[in-house]
Amino acid sequence: MTRSVYVTGIDRGDGRQVVELGVMELLTRQVDRVGVFRPLVHHTPDRLFELLRARYRLSQDPATVYGMDYQEASALQAERGTDELVSTLVDRFHRVARDYDVVLVLGTDFADTQFPDELALNARLANEFGASVLPVVGGRKQTPGSVLAETRNAHRAYEALGCDVIAVITNRVDPADRAAIAEGLDARLPVPAYVLPDEPALSAPSVAQITHALGGKVLLGDDAGLARDALGFVFGGATLSTFLNALTPGCLVVTPGDRADLVVGALAAHSAGTPPIAGVLLTLDERPSDEVLTLAARLAPGTPVVAVASGSFDTASELFAMEGKLSAVTPRKAEVALGLFERYVDGGALLTRVSAPSSDRVTPMMFEHKLLERARSDRRRVVLPEGTEERVLRAAEVLLRRDVCALTLLGPVDQIRKNAADLGIDLGDADLVDPQTSPLRDRFAERYAALRAHKGVTVELAYDVVSDVNYFGTLMVQEGLADGMVSGSVHSTAATIRPSFEIIKTKPDASIVSSVFFMCLADKVLVYGDCAVNPDPDAEQLADIAIQSAETAAQFGVEPRIAMLSYSTGTSGSGADVDKVRRATEIARSRRPDLKIEGPIQYDAAVEPTVAATKLPGSEVAGQATVLVFPDLNTGNNTYKAVQRSAGAIAVGPVLQGLRKPVNDLSRGALVGDIVNTVAITAIQSQNPNPNPSQHPNEKASEQ
């Protein structure tokens, strides 16, 4: 029978969407087919379901998600009674449940409804659905004693109504009270209790939301600027010096439109990063002159300046009543929410209590989830040399919000901060280092000169070389100030990995550096090597690539069954190219007799059981290969791109292998998600025992 999780509450304002998103994240890590059902909905399309559908690539027909709207439900209950209402909703739930391994049920929201006992209705529906219940209690602006009592009462209420309560989550508590409340609940409840602190960034409205709600007109700014969250409001009316002292990070400046001095001053402060603001809201339908707007656009490109017709008092009243919402158009808020959930909820323990069935399939999303989970389990530091680039900054925000790893960003520190401010990105505790001015530059120059003395490199020459961000980042890895490096979004592959050849060098048992791609197909993950580094490896090198690829596969949970690819299978063909693959297979088998290796073998015989039964019967690899080793770069690179485009596969990589410490290269067309995955892979690669125990992996290279 389908297992279901029913996320519900006891009142409105509990911020339950954070929990619903977090539970969906947990379920999709373990189960391929997850359905969503909302028994009662105010209007469609439902904001949260649209977020879940976009984020988790749900194929579920939206028409099946909703039981009925509140108006229909109220009329049905009044006319035919609660039993008929429940019976109808149960029928509609089972239409979803029969097609999915597990269903996430989104309980009623206790807002603008006409049900006299909404808690009891949720409890009954959960019981009729056969769903486990996860109550959420809101704790905003409550004392610790009140929160403790309300949470215990919520557990007691649902348990008394016969529900299978798997845990209780208290949300939006004062951060200063969180630990005490968690300790109190642990001692008083028979089920796990998780306590989430209030997170201002989740309830903060975006500038775009404010503009829409107030009917404002955008005078300046771009989409990235409008997506910034307004973390507070500063109302301008004082002198400029007093006003500037009142600015806070992420605030929205609200000022009459004729105060050009405050507009220019606020944007100049933002440009200097002291502090970065969300934008400027001009009241009274007054607008600065064209000359002032031109200056404003140059001071802080992309920062929104919005004009509204209302006065400051009316504007303030509306602003203080607004609250940000999770939706498909606020993906950054989703990352904040997931980071909060993952930091304070023991996902593994909760998932065990759900008893969701494990899937034999490994979908792309499940693979990506496992990457982040593994990286987070043993947190490492990764250096990103391209610290001023927009995609890198956006990826950094995701990685920090999700607590995947610690980060060091390289580049001019003021420029990194300004670019982050322009994007509305909070870099949190990321370490920012400018290679040009860092006190590490002298030390690195001496180190690099010593490593390259045989090439005639002097300390003076090395001083210039190590100011390059990729060389500096590679030396940070070599010196133990970072565990790995990821670059390449704007640098060539050669510029990214050449320093690692000179500084980090290959492992003792590796003759070359090679690469793999993780090819995430619809129902499995294959490992392709080498598709990015070695143009025409000889037999010895090809054997090395096979062994390295098998080790990488195993490290990331893919059981290695290695196919040495050629245009011929078994003994059916001959020629120099086939003979190279045959020789490489023999070498790999002799070096690693414990590995399952087959070759030469054609691609179809390697992955398709029916073809394998004909061409190579009895092979323990043919038809079920997971690691596919291509004979040359031309074949490998074209094949991975063909599979990526024609089969809709997600290609994660290239992942470099054979180096003593991990350095990975990005495609210059890499998306933010690609960067996040590559950084997570790099962090996982570094989780092997450090070969030099004297180097502390998480020592920070600060500017101080």
Side-chain angles (χ1 to χ4, degrees):
M1 179 179 179
T2 298
R3 288 289 290 172
S4 303
V5 184
Y6 196 115
V7 181
T8 183
I10 60 172
D11 201 352
R12 64 184 305 179
D14 52 27
R16 194 185 321 158
Q17 296 81 8
V18 173
V19 177
E20 291 166 335
L21 182 64
V23 172
M24 188 67 172
E25 182 84 6
L26 289 178
L27 294 175
T28 54
R29 287 181 193 173
Q30 184 163 320
V31 178
D32 179 20
R33 299 181 304 154
V34 181
V36 178
F37 186 70
R38 186 183 286 285
L40 300 176
V41 65
H42 284 289
H43 52 77
T44 59
D46 177 68
R47 174 173 44 80
L48 185 66
F49 172 70
E50 291 303 308
L51 169 61
L52 297 178
R53 182 164 69 153
R55 184 176 185 88
Y56 299 104
R57 307 165 200 151
L58 303 182
S59 58
Q60 183 178 351
D61 181 355
T64 68
V65 172
Y66 314 113
M68 62 182 72
D69 63 38
Y70 278 92
Q71 186 175 0
E72 179 188 358
S74 181
L76 179 60
Q77 184 184 46
E79 188 175 322
R80 302 172 65 181
T82 301
D83 288 349
E84 187 64 28
L85 170 63
V86 170
S87 177
T88 302
L89 291 174
V90 168
D91 286 344
R92 294 179 183 179
F93 166 78
H94 282 296
R95 292 177 194 171
V96 176
R98 68 191 178 197
D99 293 329
Y100 295 92
D101 299 317
V102 64
V103 178
L104 172 62
V105 185
L106 313 175
T108 68
D109 59 13
F110 293 84
D112 302 322
T113 67
Q114 300 176 18
F115 295 102
D117 192 348
E118 202 162 342
L119 188 152
L121 176 62
N122 280 291
R124 182 170 177 188
L125 288 174
N127 290 335
E128 296 290 354
F129 295 169
S132 300
V133 172
L134 183 59
V136 182
V137 177
R140 178 176 281 178
K141 296 182 180 178
Q142 294 191 48
T143 65
S146 174
V147 173
L148 283 168
E150 196 160 304
T151 305
R152 293 174 66 195
N153 286 335
H155 172 263
R156 185 177 293 114
Y158 279 103
E159 190 177 57
L161 291 168
C163 295
D164 172 29
V165 180
I166 54 173
V168 178
I169 295 181
T170 306
N171 191 26
R172 289 181 161 181
V173 305
D174 188 320
D177 298 330
R178 197 207 73 80
I181 293 171
E183 184 178 352
L185 291 175
D186 284 343
R188 293 174 173 85
L189 286 178
V191 297
Y194 304 109
V195 182
L196 278 59
D198 199 16
E199 172 53 69
L202 284 175
S203 54
S206 69
V207 179
Q209 180 188 343
I210 291 170
T211 302
H212 176 74
L214 298 182
K217 179 176 178 57
V218 179
L219 306 182
L220 296 174
D222 55 22
D223 289 344
L226 290 166
R228 296 178 195 167
D229 294 325
L231 301 179
F233 306 106
V234 173
F235 293 84
T239 62
L240 180 59
S241 59
T242 302
F243 166 75
L244 290 177
N245 287 329
L247 295 179
T248 56
C251 69
L252 179 69
V253 171
V254 184
T255 182
D258 58 0
R259 289 296 304 270
D261 58 331
L262 301 187
V263 174
V264 172
L267 294 176
H270 173 86
S271 179
T274 55
I277 64 173
V280 178
L281 189 67
L282 306 175
T283 60
L284 298 172
D285 211 20
E286 292 282 343
R287 304 179 187 187
S289 66
D290 290 343
E291 291 79 9
V292 170
L293 287 176
T294 299
L295 175 61
R298 290 177 178 171
L299 277 172
T303 297
V305 175
V306 177
V308 297
S310 56
S312 295
F313 180 81
D314 291 337
T315 300
S317 299
E318 292 196 60
L319 288 175
F320 287 125
M322 282 187 204
E323 186 168 318
K325 302 292 184 182
L326 287 173
S327 71
V329 298
T330 58
R332 289 179 56 221
K333 282 191 187 297
E335 298 296 346
V336 174
L338 286 172
L340 190 70
F341 184 87
E342 290 165 345
R343 189 171 297 117
Y344 295 103
V345 175
D346 186 340
L350 183 60
L351 197 55
T352 299
R353 296 180 70 85
V354 173
S355 300
S358 295
S359 174
D360 292 332
R361 290 155 48 94
V362 179
T363 66
M365 188 173 299
M366 291 166 73
F367 182 74
E368 291 172 353
H369 286 332
K370 289 183 187 299
L371 288 180
L372 301 188
E373 191 173 18
R374 285 192 57 190
R376 192 183 299 115
S377 69
D378 183 9
R379 201 165 178 264
R380 297 303 175 110
R381 177 171 294 277
V382 178
V383 58
L384 305 177
E386 299 159 327
T388 60
E389 295 302 315
E390 178 178 343
R391 287 168 293 157
V392 172
L393 287 168
R394 292 195 182 280
E397 182 181 38
V398 173
L399 291 159
L400 293 168
R401 289 287 191 185
R402 302 290 298 275
D403 203 31
V404 174
C405 61
L407 292 177
T408 297
L409 279 70
L410 302 185
V413 173
D414 289 344
Q415 189 65 47
I416 294 173
R417 288 186 176 135
K418 181 180 184 304
N419 291 1
D422 288 342
L423 296 167
I425 287 171
D426 178 10
L427 292 177
D429 61 355
D431 196 19
L432 310 183
V433 178
D434 185 352
Q436 298 282 345
T437 60
S438 171
L440 291 169
R441 187 174 176 181
D442 290 329
R443 167 181 160 187
F444 285 178
E446 292 179 2
R447 179 71 169 133
Y448 182 71
L451 287 169
R452 304 295 289 173
H454 65 288
K455 294 290 187 180
V457 175
T458 63
V459 173
E460 290 75 16
L461 177 59
Y463 189 77
D464 291 333
V465 172
V466 302
S467 66
D468 175 88
V469 289
N470 285 312
Y471 275 92
F472 194 94
T474 304
L475 281 157
M476 287 188 69
V477 176
Q478 176 64 19
E479 295 294 289
L481 301 174
D483 297 296
M485 184 181 94
V486 174
S487 186
S489 69
V490 293
H491 289 94
S492 68
T493 294
T496 298
I497 65 176
R498 183 187 297 114
S500 63
F501 293 162
E502 297 178 1
I503 297 165
I504 294 175
K505 303 182 180 178
T506 58
K507 295 177 180 178
D509 59 347
S511 64
I512 57 171
V513 173
S514 62
S515 73
V516 296
F517 279 90
F518 290 99
M519 301 300 295
C520 301
L521 304 174
D523 59 351
K524 59 186 173 184
V525 176
L526 300 178
V527 177
Y528 283 11
D530 172 10
C531 304
V533 178
N534 297 286
D536 189 17
D538 60 28
E540 288 276 356
Q541 293 171 329
L542 201 57
D544 204 10
I545 292 169
I547 293 170
Q548 290 179 15
S549 300
E551 291 172 349
T552 300
Q555 186 179 17
F556 289 90
V558 178
E559 181 185 352
R561 294 186 292 272
I562 308 162
M564 307 291 286
L565 297 175
S566 177
Y567 60 77
S568 172
T569 295
T571 60
S572 65
S574 61
D577 292 336
V578 179
D579 291 343
K580 180 181 79 169
V581 174
R582 184 174 291 114
R583 174 63 180 148
T585 304
E586 293 170 354
I587 296 169
R589 282 174 175 161
S590 67
R591 288 175 53 189
R592 290 292 303 274
D594 57 306
L595 293 175
K596 298 175 182 178
I597 307 175
E598 191 67 73
I601 186 172
Q602 292 161 288
Y603 191 100
D604 58 350
V607 300
E608 177 53 52
T610 56
V611 177
T614 300
K615 291 188 173 183
L616 212 58
S619 170
E620 59 182 354
V621 172
Q624 51 184 341
T626 57
V627 178
L628 297 111
V629 179
F630 294 90
D632 54 60
L633 185 61
N634 182 52
T635 307
N637 192 269
N638 278 296
T639 302
Y640 107 75
K641 288 183 176 177
V643 172
Q644 180 185 32
R645 299 301 178 186
S646 60
I650 294 176
V652 179
V655 177
L656 297 185
Q657 51 194 14
L659 289 168
R660 292 175 183 265
K661 296 184 179 183
V663 170
N664 280 309
D665 178 39
L666 297 166
S667 162
R668 273 171 279 184
L671 303 176
V672 171
D674 299 328
I675 300 172
V676 170
N677 286 337
T678 303
V679 172
I681 284 173
T682 306
I684 294 167
Q685 285 180 307
S686 73
Q687 289 172 354
N688 287 334
N690 196 326
N692 186 348
S694 67
Q695 294 174 352
H696 193 286
N698 284 323
E699 181 184 346
K700 290 177 73 173
S702 67
E703 290 285 62
Q704 301 176 356

